[in-house]
Amino acid sequence: MITCRGLAYRYKAGPLIAFADMTLPQGGVLMVSGPSGCGKSTWLALVAALMQPAAGQIEVAGQALAGLSAAAADAWRARNIGFLPQRLHLSAALSVQRNLALAQWAASQPEDLAAISRALESLGVADLAQRKPAELSGGQAQRVALARAVLMQPKLILADEPTASLDDEAAAAAVALMHQTALALGATLVIASHDVRVAALLIPRLASPARLQTMQLPRLAAMNKAA
Amino acid sequence: MTTLALAWRYLWSRPLGAALNLLLLSLGLASITFLILLGHQLSRAFERDLTGIDLVVGAKGSPLQLILSGVLHLDIPTGNVPLQAVRELKKNPLVASIIPISLGDSFRGFRIVGTSLAYPAHYQAALAQGQMWHAPMQAVLGAGAARALGLQLGQSFVGSHGLGAGGHTHGDLPYSVTGILAPTGSVLDRLILTDTASVWKVHETATALDADDQKILEEERELTLALVRYRTPMAAMSLPRFINSSTEMQAASPALEISRLLRMLGIGTDVLQALAGVLLVTAALSVFLALWSAVRERRADLALLRLLGAPARRVAALLMAEALWLGLLAAALGLGLGQLLLQWIGWQLALDQSLLIGGLAWPPSLWWVPALALGVSLAAAALPTLGAYRVSVQELLQSR
């Protein structure tokens, strides 16, 4: 569940970026799109409580994020947000298993190898646990990164450009995988993408086309890229 | 996974860089360990050999040479003094006791010291085998000398003239071994002890032409020097001045001369310490560079950790822990290397038989080494850690 009211953010010495009001129910699917430099990553950072809004209200997974202390935001993010970055960012120094353990370390939780196995199992990559990221194919790496994102059983999965640089077949597989995983967890799924294929791939998976919420962010001509 | 375990993995994810940094840091620390241990061993060796000797009286010359030759048995003596003069000195009310020392001969590089039984007693030497001498031409070996020479009780040997090897031998008057001392850790370990009379006998018999000549020589008997113990501390005020001004002899205070020697050596060790310091600063810079580039290389990794919910200080702690590992490993390696270096140099210069006792030692000042190791590595990590603390998650979201 995501609710935004009058949300705005201001970079140092920059213009105020205002975002449209929106509500996404728990378990819903949202596609955020728009040209680059439209404040997409700013919106994602606000939703993940990485930044504090300059104005407005934002509530994610039952938590009001405006005014949350940095420590509370970190702890909240560890438990509630599963993040799938565009470049996956698996740590090359660590095995697949340890990469997942990193999420538990970041959440200040004791290492739980059984939970790691379950997460890898659910994405069909349990047998890769001892490999290094360099020894994985692109598809395998994405599955591992998704396993890391869902390890803490988050209420919200944020995917940043998950299909960029993937061919049609791989893009279809990636979207299907994300949707299945979110569905299995009952998690809300937010995909930030300017890839038109994503909407086309998502709509047939939903009960009706109207179930796919979209948020089109307008280009901000004066947006300061000093971020 | 704990922060320490994670830092360990990150550290060794760049094995070559980590190993080189470790080596650089260890070498700096090893030099410092070496210097500290050397200073400790030297001062302990001096202390051990000088205790209870208030004054050394011998022939005029360099006072330092007198101490080095007569107490530490490192240098050649300044000359001889008449026995009569020493006997006069013994009557002085300020003198509590005197140990006579006569040098001149050696056996395969080990000094034959003519003295009295007070000498081994002074160092609390105990016999490992046999008994002390009770007649001239009987010898008692120090533990180290006995081991090196391979001499057994009852065996005999002939001394050669001079303190180094290669002098002419006194073939007609052999010494017989009556006792071997237990190791004392003092200068005695590398000496061959005998009665003062043995030294007279060897030289008088060798030079006397007839019985009359022998008589003249006996009247002119000499000692090399005498180790003096004061009856009262007040003696230090007047006795050395009295000896130096009104006798043919020279008096030197071991404590004074050795502190002068250490001051002279001090200049050398200061230079070495400065070099070790430079090495350490270089190592610190290298660690700094390594961690700094680690932060740059792993910016995305670190940002991801923030994205996964790790607080900034936890991410910073990860980098500090990496520096901590480097410091701990370097301290252990540096201490080990320093100890080995001292042993090796001691063995190379054959000092292990004289000044250095070798063996593992841990003087309190050695705690400086781990303290420095941790200080240097953590200081080097400070700025990179700040970088890790401030790593921006925004960059990760905007990477295109």
Side-chain angles (χ1 to χ4, degrees), chain B residues 370-387:
Chain B
L372 262 177
L374 290 185
V376 161
S377 49
L378 291 184
L383 216 56
T385 299
L386 195 67

Side-chain angles (χ1 to χ4, degrees), chain A residues 1 8 37 62 85 130 141 167 202:
Chain A
M1 170 102 169
Q130 299 310 322
D167 61 29
L202 273 172

